[in-house]
Amino acid sequence: MSLEERFAIIRSIGEECIQEDELMRLLQNKPQPICYDGFEPSGRMHIAQGVMKAISVNKLTSAGCKVKIWIADWFAQLNNKMGGDLKKIQVIGQYLIEIWKAVGMNVEGGQVEFLWSSEEINSRAHEYWPLVMDIARRNKLPRIVRCCQIMGRSEQDELSAAQIFYPCMQCADVFFLKADICQLGMDQRKVNVLAREYCDDIKRKNKPIILSHHMLPGLQEGQEKMSKSDPSSAIYMEDEEADVNVKIKKAFCPPKVVEKNPCMEYLKYIVFPWFNEFTVERKPENGGEKTFKSFKDLADDYESGELHPGDLKPALSKAINKILQPVRDHFKNDAKARDLVKKVRSYKVSR
């Protein structure tokens, strides 16, 4: 694979890249760059976290990267997820790993590594805590508070002392994991920028490259992002076929409108990257069956009114159900996975 091809694959993951010239230079100089992605185990996994992450990780490994997935159990505890119950948080972490393996994340061959923050930090505390302390020492409190979006909080929220600590720790993770690329969502952008600013403070030349992926909206009108506390706002990775059909049927999908249409977003960021095509089955009088080979062709038909929501939605449900079926099968047939999902479903989601 050529340098340009590797760059194109990696760059395609991000809605934003800071900076592209640095990414190209990294690929020229390092055969296997280290990418870091992290998540708080805080409840059931929605389709963006499940399928979009699997697509991104598979692209990164195909382009020669090593991916470190940081299971941020201590961070979930700091952020008071599951009422701060670390045992529950760790059960959720195990459940998320099971899903990624089942959906098709390419974890064989050693290019993907799952690391638990509690274990790694404890085993190398002498490296970690001086780094956290130095980041905290070099930044004023308002700068750290501006990062609180990374925890799903706003600057107006009443934050605990633990939640003030959190951004300093997440910034430290980048250097602790020796990450060349931070591959996280747009909602994590502020703390990744903080990591680059820290490089300026310590006169470090090689800054982490920020590759921020798109955030899928909720399925209902006006929902900018999916919400774990609102099951109708998202498809979950172990949703049954009937659940998916009902959620998509009720989803906001205005005719002839592509922008801010959650059904179109699911097609652009999940269905097309997964299948590279999308088939709509219609009655002959409504245009008959049609297979779209690109999102642009689909969007053009939808915007013109050639394709109606009443035909698009059943086809979208069918495509999503096809992606999720191996996950359902795994949780049905594997005793360990079945036990994990039962426990996770019994937990009350805490904000």
Side-chain angles (χ1 to χ4, degrees):
M1 194 182 287
S2 72
L3 178 67
E4 289 72 20
E5 285 170 329
R6 290 175 68 210
F7 175 87
I9 289 169
I10 294 169
R11 180 63 187 87
S12 72
I13 293 164
E15 188 166 280
E16 177 185 64
C17 177
I18 306 175
Q19 300 281 354
E20 289 187 352
D21 59 328
E22 293 175 23
L23 175 58
M24 182 62 87
R25 201 157 52 244
L26 172 70
L27 296 176
Q28 281 171 334
N29 297 327
K30 192 167 182 179
Q32 190 179 51
I34 293 172
C35 300
Y36 137 74
D37 192 352
F39 66 94
E40 269 188 15
S42 58
R44 292 175 67 199
M45 184 188 275
H46 55 59
I47 198 166
Q49 196 180 16
V51 178
M52 280 178 69
K53 199 182 292 288
I55 291 167
S56 296
V57 168
N58 290 351
K59 281 183 175 182
L60 289 166
T61 55
S62 76
C65 296
K66 182 178 178 71
V67 181
K68 293 183 177 182
I69 298 181
W70 190 236
I71 308 168
D73 51 351
W74 265 6
F75 292 77
Q77 189 176 31
L78 278 173
N79 204 9
N80 203 34
K81 297 298 171 76
M82 293 296 125
D85 186 326
L86 192 61
K87 283 187 178 174
K88 286 182 178 178
I89 289 165
Q90 289 173 340
V91 166
I92 294 168
Q94 291 165 357
Y95 144 88
L96 299 178
I97 293 169
E98 287 290 318
I99 289 180
W100 281 320
K101 289 177 178 176
V103 80
M105 184 183 283
N106 184 16
V107 296
E108 305 301 322
Q111 278 181 275
V112 178
E113 197 175 2
F114 293 102
L115 301 168
W116 294 81
S117 68
S118 56
E119 290 176 10
E120 296 298 315
I121 292 169
N122 273 334
S123 68
R124 290 160 54 203
H126 62 288
E127 288 179 52
Y128 190 78
W129 293 115
L131 192 52
V132 174
M133 289 161 64
D134 195 47
I135 291 163
R137 190 177 61 80
R138 291 172 185 270
N139 284 280
K140 300 284 187 285
L141 193 57
R143 178 67 184 91
I144 298 301
V145 171
R146 284 206 304 276
C147 290
C148 64
Q149 180 192 9
I150 65 173
M151 301 175 282
R153 312 287 168 180
S154 82
E155 291 178 47
Q156 283 71 46
D157 285 359
E158 191 175 350
L159 301 173
S160 69
Q163 288 164 329
I164 297 295
F165 215 48
Y166 188 121
C168 299
M169 289 174 64
Q170 186 170 326
C171 182
D173 293 344
V174 177
F175 305 101
F176 183 67
L177 295 170
K178 297 179 170 54
D180 301 302
I181 300 170
C182 302
Q183 205 289 286
L184 300 158
M186 287 294 289
D187 60 338
Q188 305 296 303
R189 182 184 187 278
K190 286 181 181 177
V191 79
N192 290 332
V193 170
L194 182 69
R196 286 179 64 90
E197 290 171 357
Y198 178 66
C199 290
D200 292 331
D201 291 339
I202 61 172
K203 308 290 190 286
R204 173 176 156 151
K205 190 181 172 187
N206 292 329
K207 298 179 182 181
I209 293 152
I210 306 171
L211 198 62
S212 304
H213 64 71
H214 179 74
M215 302 291 291
L216 271 189
L219 288 170
Q220 305 305 313
E221 185 175 4
Q223 288 180 331
E224 285 188 16
K225 57 185 282 190
M226 299 174 179
S227 167
K228 285 192 171 81
S229 58
D230 178 8
S232 70
S233 73
I235 304 294
Y236 291 98
M237 291 300 291
E238 8 65 56
D239 271 350
E240 295 296 338
E241 187 175 340
D243 298 328
V244 172
N245 294 342
V246 168
K247 287 180 182 182
I248 295 296
K249 190 175 182 180
K250 291 182 176 179
F252 180 61
C253 190
K256 300 184 182 181
V257 178
V258 172
E259 293 298 313
K260 296 187 177 178
N261 181 331
C263 290
M264 296 302 283
E265 294 244 344
Y266 270 51
L267 284 156
K268 183 177 182 179
Y269 293 100
I270 293 174
V271 175
F272 273 99
W274 195 269
F275 294 112
N276 296 311
E277 63 178 29
F278 177 62
T279 300
V280 175
E281 295 167 357
R282 299 178 290 198
K283 293 175 182 175
E285 59 268 28
N286 292 336
E289 185 177 300
K290 185 169 182 179
T291 298
F292 298 91
K293 296 293 184 182
S294 74
F295 177 75
K296 187 186 180 303
D297 290 347
L298 173 75
D300 288 345
D301 263 25
Y302 192 78
E303 216 160 21
S304 71
E306 282 287 313
L307 179 58
H308 189 270
D311 295 313
L312 179 135
K313 283 185 170 187
L316 174 57
S317 295
K318 187 175 180 179
I320 290 171
N321 278 317
K322 196 170 178 181
I323 295 169
L324 298 186
Q325 195 54 48
V327 179
R328 293 185 195 124
D329 292 344
H330 180 64
F331 280 96
K332 185 178 174 184
N333 300 325
D334 185 286
K336 178 192 166 190
R338 195 164 58 239
D339 182 53
L340 282 170
V341 78
K342 188 178 176 184
K343 284 179 182 173
V344 172
R345 282 177 166 166
S346 73
Y347 298 159
K348 188 179 177 210
V349 175
S350 54
R351 183 177 178 273

